[in-house]
Amino acid sequence: MTTTIKYHEINFTWPKGFYSDGLNAGMRHKRPDLGWLYSEVPAAAAGVYTTNKVCAAPTTLTKKLITTNQELQALIMNSVFANSCTGSQGMKDALLEQELVAQKLQIKPSLVGVASTGLIGSFLPMDKITAGIAQLKETTSDAVTQAVMTTDTHAKKISVAFKLAGKTCTMTGFAKGSGMIHPNMATMLAFITTDAAIDLTILQKLTSELTDKTFNQITVDGDTSTNDMVVVLANGLAQNKQLTTAGTDLAVFKATLHHVLAFLAQKIAADGEGATKLVEVNVNGATSLPDGQKVAKAIVGSNLVKAALFGNDPNWGRIMSTIGTVDAVFDPQNITIKLNDILVVDHSLAVAFDEKQASTTMAASKVVITVDLHSGSAQGQAWGCDLTYNYVKINASYRS
Amino acid sequence: MTTTIKYHEINFTWPKGFYSDGLNAGMRHKRPDLGWLYSEVPAAAAGVYTTNKVCAAPTTLTKKLITTNQELQALIMNSVFANSCTGSQGMKDALLEQELVAQKLQIKPSLVGVASTGLIGSFLPMDKITAGIAQLKETTSDAVTQAVMTTDTHAKKISVAFKLAGKTCTMTGFAKGSGMIHPNMATMLAFITTDAAIDLTILQKLTSELTDKTFNQITVDGDTSTNDMVVVLANGLAQNKQLTTAGTDLAVFKATLHHVLAFLAQKIAADGEGATKLVEVNVNGATSLPDGQKVAKAIVGSNLVKAALFGNDPNWGRIMSTIGTVDAVFDPQNITIKLNDILVVDHSLAVAFDEKQASTTMAASKVVITVDLHSGSAQGQAWGCDLTYNYVKINASYRS
């Protein structure tokens, strides 16, 4: 018996009962820099947050709200300023944003989450944000997906339709990258909305589990930010019977959520600062999932591997060397490596291969590195990008 | 009472009884690529080696020799090819090098160490190396300091004179970098020779302890190589009474060795691939030495911090964010940061400072970042360099 996966991508749309808007509040020149999300009714909320000990005020606030109440009805978000390292004034500002949105929507402040991304260490321009909030509307616009962008070159968004016991549901997610993406979903925000009805505890469990396999397996530059969060909101307006136990419907929901998170994670990696290509690393033959994931992420995180990928250089020695640094169980004498399906290392020994052909395939927009550790049956997967002149350029002149 | 440090730098010279040579064996176009070191008598030997599980044949061999016998009389070394990931043929080649040198010098093979650095995954051109070894002489040349260079822009070498109970001793060290320097003395080789007489066990203890404070606190790009070693040889020909117990003489020896290792470590960091400046991070107020060192090394290892340093951008938010990712004891609300003595963060809050002036001071060849964690009295120190276009250029075209 094969399971038919009951979801498919559709044109961008908000799930039933979700509204949104985004606008330019004057923090940047022209592009939207302030936006919101709003659900007609309170939605079950789950989240995963930065592990950085220096945690920004909005992230601290939203984490506390979701952990305490497990529901949210609205989220206000901005780019340009991260409201991080801003002390008690920073928290006052985040609380004021929350209050302004709650007043406008006539809901409780505790139902309003706050997210910011941008430069660390500056206070939010509360005059501009206050004026901006006053102008936000309940539309079906996708402008919010642009309002959260920093050095992203394009918005990252997806809508998926799926069925739960005959009821059509929608799941829509968006995210922003694109530097500082490591080791755990950093300098990124992702928001997923769905009209499916699902038990709170299950929603949080799935969000944590699938974030580990997706957003936590991407890396752009090995740095970790102070503001990051993945928030999933489920308002139940599709009127399916609430998902509470394992079964086909929950499997469909999980597969859909996994698809949405993996899609957004890969989009962030591919649009990493300065990137010219997406890099996918698949590790097979690991003794455990964590070991496979550690090895995959180490490879995709190595500056030397990333620079070689930029140069289309099939320099597998750097991959071997990186694997050797990982705290995982494997035999260094028994490693097999393929670059885009071309065997380059067989059981830790060099293989004669057509370097020119390998280099040509590496010039594509996606490069796949496949490693077999020959030590077990677990797998690991990670995504990243190459290290380029433009990465240095972007980050040597971030604030100018 | 103050202790007068009884050592001073002198012009390059080999310690009593040490000879050396270096020449071009045809592995690279013109520059020396093969060299050796030789002591008239067997020397006490201590070493620290790469922690990479993928360990190259020469490193494996030399580590075994020193661990087993704690003495060496000669070291043969080459650049261009690392003899790493070369399987049993690689070990045969390393053993042949050892044998050829032993025959030529008429000493036991077990007294000959082997070191290689360069591209991973290619076999050594043993015809060229055999011919090269036949031509090596017992001279006082410093050509060996060039023979180990890969992407280094200049040789790194130092000679220091010091006195032990009236006897004049010399210590001479050299090292090569300059990419892949992290987390533990990687893509580097360092060899230190001295004519001082010192107990084997004490020599190994000092070498390990001081390597942790010097070579293990530099980082260029977060990558770790397969070939690295620090080897200290002490042949005793200065005829001082052998150092066996704590006391003034041992303190002088330790201070001298620390000076030599720190000098070479900083030279490697300053000459990191593509670097335009040396970065020194001093962490004060840590609860322990390891915590202080971890925080210092994390800052100097952050791509975002390094790119900002290249751009002379006093973007302290990236320093705060990096500190927040470190597994160490501190209060994220109580961190103070200075950039070249300019206070930029006071107890985790932004301070108004002259950004233009700060940027101007950052254009110097050395930038100092000082962090106070206000959590204890321990310190940590680390060295690195900025991340530049040239780093990417060098590593995107390493093999061409």
Side-chain angles (χ1 to χ4, degrees), chain B residues 64-339:
Chain B
K64 193 178 158 196
L65 288 176
I66 295 180
T67 309
T68 308
N69 308 319
Q70 290 168 288
E71 60 174 11
L72 280 185
Q73 194 166 353
L75 267 160
I76 180 78
M77 52 195 81
N78 73 282
S79 54
V80 187
F81 300 104
N83 193 8
S84 174
C85 302
T86 45
S88 57
Q89 183 61 47
M91 185 52 82
K92 270 186 208 161
D93 290 344
L95 288 166
L96 177 56
E97 286 183 274
Q98 187 189 43
E99 181 63 37
L100 290 169
V101 171
Q103 278 175 12
K104 178 160 173 149
L105 293 172
Q106 302 215 293
I107 60 176
K108 286 191 294 183
S110 63
L111 287 170
V112 181
V114 182
S116 297
T117 181
L119 183 68
I120 294 174
S122 293
F123 293 119
L124 290 178
M126 287 307 295
D127 50 342
K128 291 177 180 174
I129 285 182
T130 302
I133 289 174
Q135 291 175 59
L136 286 170
K137 300 199 169 50
E138 294 163 36
T139 74
T140 54
S141 150
D142 65 355
V144 71
T145 66
Q146 289 180 46
V148 292
M149 287 165 57
T150 51
T151 50
D152 305 69
T153 63
H154 56 263
K156 295 153 185 77
K157 56 189 176 178
I158 182 174
S159 289
V160 177
F162 58 109
K163 285 204 175 184
L164 299 178
K167 300 278 185 187
T168 299
C169 303
T170 303
M171 186 179 291
T172 291
F174 64 102
K176 62 82 58 178
S178 64
M180 257 196 185
I181 310 288
H182 179 94
N184 286 317
M185 53 144 203
T187 309
M188 58 151 288
L189 298 172
F191 302 99
I192 292 89
T193 55
T194 180
D195 44 21
I198 181 168
D199 173 75
L200 285 165
T201 311
I202 295 175
L203 186 63
Q204 180 62 55
K205 188 173 161 287
L206 290 181
T207 302
S208 299
E209 178 188 333
L210 296 174
T211 295
D212 273 347
K213 290 186 175 170
T214 54
F215 292 118
N216 283 348
Q217 285 297 108
I218 58 176
T219 181
V220 167
D221 59 13
D223 282 284
T224 302
S225 137
T226 58
N227 284 57
D228 311 300
M229 60 178 99
V230 176
V231 172
V232 182
L233 301 179
N235 70 6
L237 292 184
Q239 297 191 298
N240 61 298
K241 183 164 174 286
Q242 195 189 45
L243 299 174
T244 52
T245 49
T248 310
D249 280 357
L250 189 60
V252 170
F253 183 89
K254 184 177 177 180
T256 306
L257 184 59
H258 196 165
H259 181 79
V260 167
L261 299 187
F263 175 91
L264 293 172
Q266 289 177 54
K267 285 285 178 196
I268 289 175
D271 193 29
E273 286 177 341
T276 70
K277 64 189 77 170
L278 173 67
V279 182
E280 178 174 296
V281 178
N282 295 305
V283 173
N284 302 313
T287 54
S288 69
L289 173 68
D291 274 13
Q293 286 188 317
K294 268 193 280 186
V295 171
K297 201 158 168 186
I299 294 168
V300 92
S302 156
N303 274 356
L304 287 170
V305 172
K306 287 154 58 85
L309 285 163
F310 174 49
N312 301 324
D313 180 357
N315 190 336
W316 58 263
R318 296 181 180 174
I319 300 173
M320 280 295 287
S321 178
T322 300
I323 295 170
T325 66
V326 182
D327 180 23
V329 178
F330 60 87
D331 174 5
Q333 304 304 327
N334 200 1
I335 295 169
T336 297
I337 302 175
K338 288 182 185 176
L339 275 171

Side-chain angles (χ1 to χ4, degrees), chain A residues 65-323:
Chain A
L65 288 177
I66 294 181
T67 308
T68 309
N69 308 321
Q70 291 166 288
E71 60 174 12
L72 280 186
Q73 194 164 354
L75 266 159
I76 179 80
M77 52 195 81
N78 73 283
S79 54
V80 187
F81 300 103
N83 194 8
S84 174
C85 301
T86 43
S88 56
Q89 183 61 46
M91 185 53 81
K92 270 186 210 161
D93 290 344
L95 288 167
L96 177 56
E97 286 184 274
Q98 186 190 44
E99 181 63 36
L100 290 168
V101 171
Q103 280 175 10
K104 178 159 175 151
L105 294 171
Q106 301 213 293
I107 60 177
K108 285 191 293 182
S110 63
L111 286 169
V112 181
V114 182
S116 297
T117 180
L119 182 68
I120 295 174
S122 291
F123 294 118
L124 290 178
M126 288 309 295
D127 50 342
K128 292 177 179 173
I129 286 182
T130 302
I133 289 173
Q135 292 174 60
L136 286 170
K137 302 201 166 45
E138 294 164 38
T139 75
T140 55
S141 150
D142 65 357
V144 71
T145 68
Q146 290 179 45
V148 292
M149 287 166 55
T150 51
T151 51
D152 305 68
T153 64
H154 54 265
K156 296 152 185 78
K157 56 188 177 179
I158 183 175
S159 290
V160 177
F162 58 109
K163 284 204 172 184
L164 298 178
K167 299 280 187 188
T168 298
C169 303
T170 303
M171 186 180 291
T172 291
F174 63 102
K176 61 82 54 179
S178 63
M180 257 196 187
I181 309 291
H182 180 94
N184 286 317
M185 55 143 205
T187 311
M188 58 153 289
L189 298 172
F191 302 98
I192 293 88
T193 55
T194 181
D195 44 21
I198 180 167
D199 173 76
L200 283 166
T201 309
I202 295 175
L203 185 64
Q204 180 61 55
K205 188 173 160 290
L206 291 181
T207 301
S208 298
E209 178 188 333
L210 296 174
T211 294
D212 273 346
K213 290 185 175 171
T214 54
F215 292 118
N216 282 348
Q217 283 298 108
I218 58 175
T219 178
V220 167
D221 60 11
D223 281 282
T224 302
S225 137
T226 57
N227 284 58
D228 312 299
M229 61 177 99
V230 176
V231 171
V232 183
L233 300 179
N235 70 6
L237 292 184
Q239 296 191 298
N240 61 297
K241 181 163 174 286
Q242 193 189 47
L243 299 174
T244 53
T245 51
T248 310
D249 279 357
L250 189 61
V252 169
F253 182 87
K254 183 177 176 178
T256 306
L257 183 59
H258 196 165
H259 181 79
V260 168
L261 299 187
F263 175 91
L264 293 172
Q266 289 176 54
K267 286 285 179 198
I268 289 176
D271 193 28
E273 284 176 343
T276 70
K277 65 190 75 173
L278 173 67
V279 182
E280 178 174 296
V281 179
N282 295 303
V283 173
N284 301 313
T287 54
S288 69
L289 173 69
D291 274 11
Q293 287 188 317
K294 267 193 281 186
V295 171
K297 199 157 172 188
I299 293 168
V300 93
S302 156
N303 274 357
L304 286 170
V305 171
K306 289 154 57 84
L309 287 163
F310 174 49
N312 301 324
D313 180 357
N315 190 338
W316 57 263
R318 295 180 181 175
I319 300 173
M320 280 293 287
S321 177
T322 301
I323 295 171

